Amino acid sequence: MTDQPLLKALAGQAVEPVPCWFMRQAGRFLPEYRKIRQEAGSFLDLCYNPELASEVTLQPLRRFDMDAAIVFADILLIPQALGMKVWFEQGEGPRLAPPVEQAGMTALSEPANMSLLQPVYETVKKTRQALTPEKSLIGFAGAPWTVATYMLRGQGSKDPASLRALYYQNPELVETLLEKISTATINYLSQQIDHGADAIQLFDSWAGGLPETLLHRLCLEPSQKIAVALKKKHPKTPIIIFPRGAGPSLTDYAEIPEFDAIGIDTSTPWNWVKKHISPKKTVQGGLDPLLVVKGGEEMVSAARKLKQVFAGSPYIFNLGHGFVPHTPPENVALLMQAIRQ
Ligand code: 1CP
């Protein structure tokens, strides 16, 4: 599958035209997604329905010519496999029970119920079969810290400082939890690769705001451990790490050979990346997703500038975080045009 532009870029080539895909391209902003979502019942029912999940994965590629599809699933399926109840409150976000901070590790399943995730592997297989050979299929999971932030508190945390305080109070609990998530995640991603994922992305959406030592211990090291374990079994499958909010510590991520590409968030200065990250390391992302809500010339010129900054080095066009639900699809079409020009 080395004819895939995305894989070429992940192998360190500067590819022209620049390969692209977008975080949160599946689900959320497309009207055809909302229709299927209604048909499926709940969001989680949709994640566990290979037929419909595969359709949602393919929807953006039917409209736009991006180079990769990302499997429709969620980072919170792993907590379910670990024995937590997971649901989504309308307009509020995910809820998980019982919170590990209160219930402790013994409330989790031992061993994890990995067979629950079988439908995701079916989605991967079906989607890979439906994609043309030059398109890549990206499998993914949450990085352990990001998944743990939801498991510890039973919901998304609005207060990262309180999670840090929790770690200082009870490091054993947090570290045991990270270990448990990591083991399940290695198995989960390995199965996604076995079923046809061409590349993997680890989302560390809540890596921001940690002091350097904690960023290393809670985010970088557990993600590195997953990448090392995956590479042992699947040395050819590239891994993209997206440590949102890591700032200057991105240079530490870039030094880890098992991370084939580094995802940069909205607030990372592009020229800083050019200056501080080896030109051999593949970089992905950077465009403010809210600019795609705005659209027009401002979006187009930012996209051109981003392409220009990374021209001549291995780069994958993407956003600094995901599309928001009210992104107009016609702005995405215009963005694609600007990227392909
Ligand atoms: O229809 C709906 O209401 C569901 C919205 C939705 C969708 C489409 C959620 C709820 N998850 C997803 C799919 C999803 N989630 C994908 C595959 C589709 C794609 O990205 O194109 C991926 C990769 C994720 C990853 C994910 N889920 C992350 C990491 C990346 C990121 O966006 O930061 C996180 C943090 C989650 C948790 C999650 N899932 C959904 C919500 C509302 C949340 C909470 C987000 C938060 O706390 O702010």
Side-chain angles (χ1 to χ4, degrees):
M1 294 274 182
T2 39
D3 287 342
Q4 296 174 8
L6 185 96
L7 291 191
K8 285 186 186 162
L10 286 170
Q13 291 181 41
V15 181
E16 265 297 321
V18 67
C20 77
W21 69 281
F22 305 104
M23 290 188 276
R24 299 193 186 165
Q25 68 182 30
R28 321 233 194 196
F29 82 106
L30 289 175
E32 56 267 36
Y33 163 69
R34 280 177 225 126
K35 198 164 153 256
I36 291 201
R37 163 91 204 269
Q38 242 167 4
E39 216 179 295
S42 76
F43 167 68
L44 287 172
D45 289 335
L46 182 48
C47 290
Y48 290 119
N49 182 327
E51 196 88 38
L52 295 182
S54 172
E55 175 54 27
V56 172
T57 305
L58 294 166
Q59 278 175 342
L61 283 91
R62 297 216 164 94
R63 274 203 193 225
F64 315 105
D65 187 34
M66 51 275 272
D67 296 285
I70 179 156
V71 176
F72 187 83
D74 198 79
I75 67 163
L76 300 177
L77 304 188
I78 284 285
Q80 266 194 321
L82 295 178
M84 292 189 85
K85 191 166 175 269
V86 177
W87 72 102
F88 285 81
E89 289 286 346
Q90 195 67 39
E92 287 190 32
R95 293 288 181 274
L96 297 81
V100 172
E101 182 182 14
Q102 278 133 44
M105 293 297 294
T106 49
L108 298 178
S109 304
E110 185 52 53
N113 177 16
M114 296 306 287
S115 64
L116 187 77
L117 303 168
Q118 196 64 40
V120 177
Y121 312 141
E122 282 306 306
T123 304
V124 172
K125 195 170 155 195
K126 259 185 195 311
T127 311
R128 186 54 268 176
Q129 282 166 355
L131 284 168
T132 51
E134 75 282 6
K135 302 291 182 193
S136 305
L137 180 59
I138 300 170
F140 76 92
W145 171 247
T146 286
V147 175
T149 62
Y150 293 93
M151 291 180 75
L152 285 163
R153 288 277 154 83
Q155 61 183 80
S157 182
K158 302 274 171 290
D159 180 14
S162 75
L163 280 166
R164 247 160 47 224
L166 168 61
Y167 174 75
Y168 289 129
Q169 266 163 23
N170 198 345
E172 294 81 17
L173 176 75
V174 175
E175 278 167 14
T176 317
L177 179 61
L178 292 176
E179 192 66 39
K180 179 132 181 141
I181 297 168
S182 300
T183 306
T185 302
I186 291 165
N187 179 312
Y188 181 50
L189 291 175
S190 184
Q191 294 260 21
Q192 291 186 38
I193 297 167
D194 284 337
H195 286 78
D198 300 296
I200 292 297
Q201 176 151 321
L202 273 175
F203 286 90
D204 216 347
S205 301
W206 301 113
L210 294 169
E212 189 178 19
T213 44
L214 288 202
L215 181 77
H216 274 247
R217 195 170 313 148
L218 304 176
C219 298
L220 186 145
E221 284 161 19
S223 292
Q224 180 179 16
K225 195 180 140 193
I226 291 172
V228 168
L230 284 176
K231 291 283 182 185
K232 276 204 181 112
K233 258 188 102 178
H234 310 276
K236 296 215 169 93
T237 307
I239 299 170
I240 308 163
I241 181 81
F242 177 55
R244 189 165 72 103
S249 295
L250 282 173
T251 54
D252 301 335
Y253 280 90
E255 277 168 19
I256 294 172
E258 286 81 9
F259 297 141
D260 298 276
I262 306 294
I264 60 171
D265 64 27
T266 305
S267 60
T268 308
W270 307 337
N271 282 313
W272 180 90
V273 175
K274 274 302 273 190
K275 204 165 154 191
H276 294 278
I277 302 233
S278 157
K280 289 194 186 130
K281 197 66 151 187
T282 305
V283 172
Q284 170 181 284
L287 189 75
D288 185 355
L290 296 184
L291 258 184
V292 193
V293 176
K294 166 121 201 238
E297 192 41 43
E298 200 173 336
M299 172 190 75
V300 168
S301 62
R304 283 199 192 118
K305 179 161 180 231
L306 181 53
K307 268 201 327 185
Q308 235 168 39
V309 168
F310 290 103
S313 59
Y315 177 69
I316 298 162
F317 200 100
N318 204 319
L319 308 170
H321 197 194
F323 282 137
V324 295
H326 57 282
T327 304
E330 58 273 23
N331 291 357
V332 178
L334 182 65
L335 175 60
M336 281 300 305
Q337 249 179 44
I339 295 169
R340 292 301 192 215
Q341 246 165 24

